[in-house]
Amino acid sequence: MDKSAKLKIQLETILYGKAWYGKPIYDIIELVSFEAAYEKPTGASHNIADIIMHMLAWTEEVSTRMQGKPAGAPIRGNWPGAGKPDEQKWQQLLSFFKLANTELTQLIANFPVESWTDATNDGRGEYSEYGLTYEAMITGLMQHHVYHAGQISLLNKMING
């Protein structure tokens, strides 16, 4: 199996597969009610909907970088915020998040295997031992997704007991 296929499978695993650490992200967010998504427990920096917006923003940014565009802040902003509670908007947000990840997995699957160790179009400096490679960027996004999935799980437990 080549690197593109391996990275695609790794992302799919954390999204909806059998991740070794527990529930995949889509299972975690399916447990979140609309009401819980917009509730912010005392002491929390963000609510669950805000975290999903943040994850969506960075997924979209990584997809643009995979296409050779210069690195920058996400078009939506780093923490764009989910706004006022709205059940339809919540369902739409989940759909956008899933679509963005589907698009990213396709970019990964079609990425030239020999280019994974190439430097991305990012002049900000290194962010991992791998440098600014496409592989490091995708690995970093997967770590970012898992980190925030843990936050979502904890927030949902705080809200629902």
Side-chain angles (χ1 to χ4, degrees):
M1 182 181 313
D2 67 30
K3 185 162 303 275
S4 297
K6 285 179 185 177
L7 290 169
K8 178 181 179 279
I9 289 169
Q10 286 175 356
L11 180 56
E12 290 172 339
T13 299
I14 67 167
L15 293 170
Y16 55 82
K18 292 187 178 191
W20 72 266
Y21 58 83
K23 292 181 180 166
I25 293 168
Y26 292 168
D27 286 1
I28 291 168
I29 61 178
E30 287 300 318
L31 297 172
V32 177
S33 68
F34 150 71
E35 295 83 8
Y38 287 89
E39 187 174 329
K40 187 165 83 171
T42 303
S45 299
H46 302 281
N47 64 32
I48 292 169
D50 290 340
I51 294 170
I52 296 290
M53 281 293 295
H54 172 73
M55 293 169 72
L56 169 61
W58 279 103
T59 302
E60 291 170 340
E61 173 61 20
V62 166
S63 289
T64 65
R65 293 179 191 187
M66 288 290 294
Q67 298 171 67
K69 299 208 169 69
I75 292 171
R76 295 177 186 269
N78 185 26
W79 284 98
K84 295 184 182 207
D86 180 317
E87 189 165 6
Q88 184 177 1
K89 198 163 91 176
W90 168 244
Q91 293 304 321
Q92 188 176 43
L93 174 57
L94 296 179
S95 293
F96 287 161
F97 179 65
K98 290 176 181 180
L99 178 60
N101 279 289
T102 298
E103 291 171 355
L104 181 58
T105 57
Q106 289 308 305
L107 287 169
I108 292 168
N110 296 320
F111 198 73
V113 175
E114 66 278 1
S115 298
W116 283 111
T117 56
D118 291 353
T120 63
N121 193 354
D122 188 340
R124 299 173 299 163
E126 289 189 26
Y127 53 79
S128 76
E129 290 180 17
Y130 299 108
L132 297 169
T133 67
Y134 287 98
E135 180 181 5
M137 180 178 64
I138 293 300
T139 302
L141 182 74
M142 288 188 277
Q143 293 166 349
H144 183 256
H145 274 6
V146 172
Y147 171 80
H148 287 302
Q151 287 182 315
I152 292 166
S153 289
L154 290 173
L155 285 170
N156 199 35
K157 285 180 184 178
M158 288 173 68
I159 293 165
N160 293 309

